[in-house]
Amino acid sequence: MSRQLSLHADAGGRAVDRALVDVLRRLDPATDPRVLQAAELASLAISLGHAALDLQRPQLLVESFDELPQPQPWREALQASRWVATPAPHEAAPGDVPLVLEGDLLYLRRYREYERRLVAGLRRLAAHAPAAEDLATLAPLFAALFPHARDDDAQARAAALALRRSLLLVTGGPGTGKTTTIARLLVLLVAQARNAGRDTPRIALAAPTGRAADRMAASLHRSLATLREHPDIDPVLFDALPIDARTLHRLLGTVPGSTRFRHDASQPLAFDAVVVDEASMVDLPLMCKLVEAVRDGARLILLGDADQLPSVEAGDVLAAIVEASGDGLALPVDAVQSLQPLLGTMASIESSTTSPLQGHRIHLRRGYRQSAALDLAPLADAARQGHADEALALLRGQQLSGVHFHADHFDLLSAATREELLAPWRELATLADPRAALAIADRARVLTALREGQQGASQLNARIEEALAGAQRDAYFHGRLLLVTENSYRHGLFNGDIGVCLRDDSGTIVAWFNGAADVRGFHAAALPAHGGAFAMTVHKSQGSEYDTVWLQLPKQEARTLSRELVYTALTRARECVHICASEAVLRGALSRHAQRVSGLAQRLRT
């Protein structure tokens, strides 16, 4: 059966998918072939980032689906199978059945349960409002933290909303002030507890990757340093705030050899507030386990950009939560006068909401972390909305400062761009100080849509390394950038961490990485799984930023191309971005959404 399916070239047939089919056939040789086909595709769907197989859209998984049943008879065959459960949406699926059918969505049971449990957890948090307190005493501090509150400041609305919510979603593009908002919000939470005579709240900061966690902590430190200079804010409030962020895996506590964590519903996290940055990168299983580990009465605050690429693993959780929470809380300008009227207006809005998550989201607009040299906003907005004509007109006009379009340019190491591309990295070969080397490691990065192929990250890395150090280079040459590709708690290194190889005084190559307190050196042979970091996929770049971004799209259309991929790549840039692509491929990318099959948004709405 499985050999008859024509899988998408970028998917491939996985042995684990065929193994599921073999087990079902061995246990019951009379199993309907249509059920076996569906089981293989439901398993394959997970590897492609979907939470389930949609019987109405098998083309998301297979190139040729003419041999597949029509949805109605396929659904009937599944409903009649001993291998398929059909529980009510809020009921747990039986543990002895591998597949679950809900409407036209066929799940592996584990992933259906992740969805169901995540919805239950989010509803639990949303329904548990913080204790009602007299907030008038916070008004002077609120005014000091948000001097523009009366000007309809969305950051002020987000902070005020968090005082009334145990679940808060703050969305917005890069540079819109999400971490600045959180820094001020955390000061408010500490002051609120202090004024009420309660213990100082225990606060955890976390992100999906070590790189994103480091950036979150650094951004908060900068914001808090500015606030410390304010004469009307008691500096004691800052002493209670966390100084470090950690990965979600470290926060929850990994259990060696297990997919479970030490902290879960039965042993929740001992924090009063958990703040998670880069929530778009969090996949369905991890978000489920995080939400279940947040105890009753604690706050969960998610920060993210729903227009970025979804997580590499299964699910598009942030987008589903955004869809279920509506367009974000909108208040009339005259309501945003001070803290008390603002909260009063929110209370009136609460009584009119129909969805469990409505009124739990604030959306911050514009920013894109651009410098004065980079006029990125018009192009980023066009990419985000999929307006290909507008984006191409902006690129053809070459009038956006810091934005460069190299039409039909597919070889970054050709004479036209070679020296400009390599210049930031050539300096690494002249440095001996690991702090200085790591400080310039993020000056430039090549971002790709694909891992393999001529315009893929693997080949580009190899060619850039050869250009920098020669064909007969050492595997770990002086100035080589490394990308960690797996979490290693023993080393304190995590997927996405960037290091640089430098030769010490004795001639030994040491791989240096940033740490919480200082740089740390490792012998290259002792590192966890890693590769080159001069070029990486756009997915791998999430949670990072670079002075200069080179976006290299492939010559031919690829299913991985989407407006989310282009938008995510563009918004990694701080000062300059180069787009290398044909107009046809770029237009195709902007016309395509990064589709993920999931029932999460529908569950959250009902």
Side-chain angles (χ1 to χ4, degrees), residues 104-254:
D104 284 321
L105 299 186
L106 181 70
Y107 296 85
L108 298 185
R109 187 191 67 83
R110 177 185 299 178
Y111 284 84
R112 188 267 186 180
E113 288 303 290
Y114 284 140
E115 274 195 8
R116 183 188 63 81
R117 288 162 45 196
L118 175 56
V119 169
L122 289 170
R123 285 178 171 171
R124 170 179 61 86
L125 294 177
H128 197 292
E133 296 173 342
D134 180 11
L135 299 175
T137 57
L138 287 178
L141 177 60
F142 188 87
L145 291 168
F146 298 99
H148 303 293
R150 64 180 61 251
D151 300 325
D152 197 24
D153 180 10
Q155 294 185 13
R157 295 203 305 271
L161 185 62
L163 297 175
R164 299 185 62 91
R165 295 286 191 268
S166 289
L167 175 65
L168 178 66
L169 179 62
V170 181
T171 57
T176 51
K178 295 188 293 295
T179 50
T180 300
T181 302
I182 292 305
R184 299 178 184 191
L185 162 61
L186 296 181
V187 173
L188 276 174
L189 292 181
V190 171
Q192 182 183 29
R194 187 182 180 192
N195 292 349
R198 299 195 311 271
D199 291 338
T200 300
R202 295 160 295 181
I203 300 167
L205 307 176
T209 67
R211 188 74 169 160
D214 289 343
R215 282 193 52 245
M216 180 189 194
S219 180
L220 280 168
H221 288 172
R222 289 192 296 270
S223 296
L224 293 172
T226 301
L227 292 176
R228 281 182 180 272
E229 300 175 0
H230 199 294
D232 297 326
I233 301 177
D234 187 344
V236 172
L237 297 175
F238 300 105
D239 297 336
L241 298 178
I243 60 173
D244 294 318
R246 64 193 88 182
T247 65
L248 286 171
H249 286 80
R250 172 167 281 185
L251 173 70
L252 295 172
T254 55

Side-chain angles (χ1 to χ4, degrees), residues 462-475:
R463 294 186 63 210
I464 291 170
E465 291 180 1
E466 180 176 348
L468 292 171
Q472 304 302 316
R473 63 192 179 279
D474 294 334

